[in-house]
């Protein structure tokens, strides 16, 4: 399961599109004319920075968190000079976070499953508390039939479990996908993924 992260990042660049769930969330805010309030967002496990860049370009103030310094350096490199004042980076393992400020948008593209089970409920509680009413979560949860599900350091959910996590949210998009596929590196993988956009009530 574990890939070399430098090898992972080399397959991605500024031409890679942002995650579909993030794009849905940003479009929803645009329809609501969300610019009337503070546009504060968190990219949790920001990875290559593509999602962070999309939020910056949509004039969000973004805090990008990742435990890999290389990931944050990629984010800083991608951000246009005129947008860098809107970007804050933190090099930390998000599984160890104990408090977060308020955000209008929390994005976690394929990152939350990498939180160990012993810390997941605590982290999710912190995320839920951080999202302000009317704010959104966008991201993924891995299902129990995912080919990585035997990894005890990762967290997996049933559909019912995901629905319980979203109590207190209006679920705007919940798509369960199971398929044979590949990693970005080209290695084969069986995916069982829940794609989510949810609005805090």
């Amino acid at each position: 399961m574990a890939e070399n992260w430098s090898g992972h990042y080399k397959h991605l660049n500024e031409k890679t599109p942002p995650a579909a769930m993030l794009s849905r969330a940003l479009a929803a805010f645009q329809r609501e004319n969300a610019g009337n309030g503070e546009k504060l967002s968190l990219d949790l496990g920001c990875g290559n920075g593509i999602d962070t860049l999309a939020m910056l370009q949509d004039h969000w103030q973004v805090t990008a968190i990742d435990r890999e310094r290389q990931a944050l350096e990629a984010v800083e490199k991608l951000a246009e000079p005129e947008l860098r004042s809107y970007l804050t980076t933190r090099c930390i393992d998000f599984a160890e976070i104990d408090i977060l400020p308020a955000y209008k948008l929390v994005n976690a593209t394929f990152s939350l499953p990498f939180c160990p089970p012993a810390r997941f409920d605590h982290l999710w509680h912190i995320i839920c508390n951080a999202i302000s009413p009317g704010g959104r979560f966008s991201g993924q949860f891995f299902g129990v039939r995912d080919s990585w599900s035997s990894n005890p350091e990762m967290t997996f959910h049933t559909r019912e479990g995901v629905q319980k996590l979203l109590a207190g949210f209006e679920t705007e998009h919940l798509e369960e996908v199971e398929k044979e596929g590949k990693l970005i590196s080209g290695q084969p993988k069986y995916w069982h993924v829940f794609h989510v956009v949810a609005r805090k009530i």
Side-chain angles (χ1 to χ4, degrees), residues 127-176:
I127 291 170
C128 291
N129 283 343
I131 300 174
S132 57
R136 285 180 171 85
F137 168 81
S138 58
Q140 286 78 24
F141 303 97
F142 282 1
V144 294
R145 291 182 294 279
D146 193 273
S147 63
W148 287 345
S149 61
S150 61
N151 187 333
E153 296 302 312
M154 295 179 64
T155 300
F156 301 86
H157 293 90
T158 62
R159 187 180 185 91
E160 293 76 14
V162 171
Q163 291 169 330
K164 287 180 180 179
L165 291 176
L166 298 177
F169 288 84
E170 174 192 354
T171 302
E172 297 180 319
H173 184 86
L174 173 55
E175 179 184 7
E176 182 177 1

Side-chain angles (χ1 to χ4, degrees), residues 50-141:
I50 299 301
D51 287 353
T52 297
L53 181 62
M55 288 185 276
L56 290 172
Q57 291 174 336
D58 200 38
H59 305 293
W60 287 78
Q61 296 183 50
V62 186
T63 298
I65 290 179
D66 204 284
R67 67 181 180 183
E68 300 287 339
R69 171 56 60 185
Q70 182 181 355
L72 299 177
E73 291 171 354
V75 172
E76 292 162 354
K77 182 178 179 181
L78 280 177
E80 293 97 330
E82 64 272 19
L83 297 177
R84 286 177 188 163
S85 63
Y86 293 93
L87 172 65
T88 301
T89 59
R90 290 181 62 194
C91 189
I92 185 175
D93 185 343
F94 61 70
E96 300 304 319
I97 291 173
D98 283 318
I99 190 170
L100 286 171
Y103 293 103
K104 197 72 173 177
L105 171 61
V106 173
N107 180 64
T109 298
F110 288 96
S111 59
L112 287 182
F114 293 92
C115 179
R119 291 287 297 179
F120 186 90
D121 288 345
H122 178 67
L123 175 62
W124 183 247
H125 178 73
I126 291 169
I127 291 170
C128 291
N129 283 343
I131 300 174
S132 57
R136 285 180 171 85
F137 168 81
S138 58
Q140 286 78 24
F141 303 97

Side-chain angles (χ1 to χ4, degrees), residues 26-62:
L26 293 177
F29 282 118
Q30 290 166 2
R31 289 192 298 270
E32 296 167 353
N33 193 22
N36 291 334
E38 280 193 303
K39 296 173 70 173
L40 302 177
S41 63
L42 173 66
D43 200 1
L44 198 63
C46 65
N48 55 43
I50 299 301
D51 287 353
T52 297
L53 181 62
M55 288 185 276
L56 290 172
Q57 291 174 336
D58 200 38
H59 305 293
W60 287 78
Q61 296 183 50
V62 186

